[in-house]
Amino acid sequence: TLRTEERQRLARERREEREKQHAAKETQILEKERKAKLQYEKQLEERQRKLKEQKQKEEQRRAAVEEKRKQKIEEEKERYEAVMHRTLERSQRLETRQKRWSWGGSVTPDSESKTALLYTASKRSTSTANLKQTEAVMNKRLSSSAALLNASDRTRRSQLSPLDSSVISRLLAPTQASLARSKSAATLSAD
């Protein structure tokens, strides 16, 4: 009986030991599962947070692009309006000049339009003839003055340093440009 009791006790102890090991394994497995679940949830939250941030950044970028586009359209609109305004002002100025230069100082009615047209046509033909004469005179003057300038320039430049001669040629350039401007002004006034 002692031996059977001893065997039963040893068998019970082994069974208890196995149950303890089995319970420990189960708790380890459960702990691992819990940790894996927590990590998965953490990763999921992180991914969702990143997606949300990315979406917000994308929306901000889109809003900035849209704002830039609107601003560009507004600037182009303002530029276009300014150009139109300047063009209208110029055309109004031209109209007022033409009215000032027209025969009688104003636009003529239909009954007088034929005589006004004849008058302006004869006026234009005489003014173009006068213009051609003044052009020929101005061209002669320009060529003679240019020849004089070139001759005097050559003698002076031979005595001056290259720096001084370049400064003098630069100073002479506006004079020739102003002559050209006066010629174009004469052409415009004749027209």
Side-chain angles (χ1 to χ4, degrees):
T1 58
L2 283 171
R3 285 184 79 183
T4 54
E5 282 178 10
E6 187 68 24
R7 275 188 213 155
Q8 284 176 356
R9 191 180 57 79
L10 285 171
R12 205 182 309 121
E13 283 177 1
R14 274 191 240 123
R15 200 171 39 246
E16 285 174 0
E17 189 67 31
R18 273 200 303 269
E19 284 174 0
K20 279 181 186 176
Q21 285 177 357
H22 186 66
K25 277 183 183 178
E26 275 188 11
T27 52
Q28 279 180 353
I29 289 168
L30 287 172
E31 188 65 26
K32 278 183 182 178
E33 283 178 359
R34 192 182 64 81
K35 282 181 180 177
K37 192 178 179 183
L38 281 172
Q39 194 174 358
Y40 174 74
E41 285 173 356
K42 231 181 194 179
Q43 284 174 351
L44 198 66
E45 283 176 10
E46 188 69 23
R47 199 177 299 148
Q48 284 176 348
R49 188 182 60 78
K50 281 183 180 177
L51 282 169
K52 198 175 180 182
E53 283 177 3
Q54 194 175 354
K55 197 175 180 182
Q56 283 177 347
K57 282 180 184 177
E58 189 67 28
E59 283 175 2
Q60 286 173 354
R61 191 186 65 78
R62 276 196 202 129
V65 166
E66 185 64 26
E67 187 64 33
K68 226 177 200 179
R69 190 181 67 81
K70 282 181 182 176
Q71 195 174 359
K72 203 172 185 181
I73 287 170
E74 193 64 33
E75 285 172 3
E76 285 176 5
K77 190 179 174 185
E78 286 174 6
R79 205 176 301 129
Y80 175 74
E81 285 174 357
V83 167
M84 289 298 291
H85 185 68
R86 281 197 300 267
T87 309
L88 281 171
E89 280 182 355
R90 282 185 201 143
S91 63
Q92 284 173 354
R93 272 189 253 136
L94 282 171
E95 280 178 17
T96 53
R97 281 182 195 163
Q98 286 170 355
K99 282 178 184 176
R100 267 189 259 142
W101 295 340
S102 68
W103 185 52
S106 64
V107 180
T108 57
D110 289 338
S111 60
E112 299 171 1
S113 63
K114 288 180 183 176
T115 54
L117 284 171
L118 286 170
Y119 175 76
T120 52
S122 64
K123 201 174 182 183
R124 281 185 185 162
S125 62
T126 54
S127 65
T128 51
N130 290 339
L131 177 66
K132 285 176 184 172
Q133 287 174 355
T134 53
E135 264 186 38
V137 170
M138 284 181 84
N139 282 335
K140 283 178 186 174
R141 284 183 186 169
L142 279 172
S143 60
S144 62
S145 62
L148 284 171
L149 282 170
N150 287 338
S152 62
D153 278 350
R154 282 191 209 111
T155 54
R156 284 186 194 141
R157 284 182 188 165
S158 61
Q159 298 165 356
L160 295 172
S161 68
L163 180 68
D164 292 339
S165 63
S166 70
V167 169
I168 289 169
S169 65
R170 252 194 253 142
L171 285 170
L172 287 173
T175 310
Q176 292 166 354
S178 65
L179 287 170
R181 274 198 301 275
S182 64
K183 184 180 171 184
S184 64
T187 311
L188 279 171
S189 65
D191 285 347

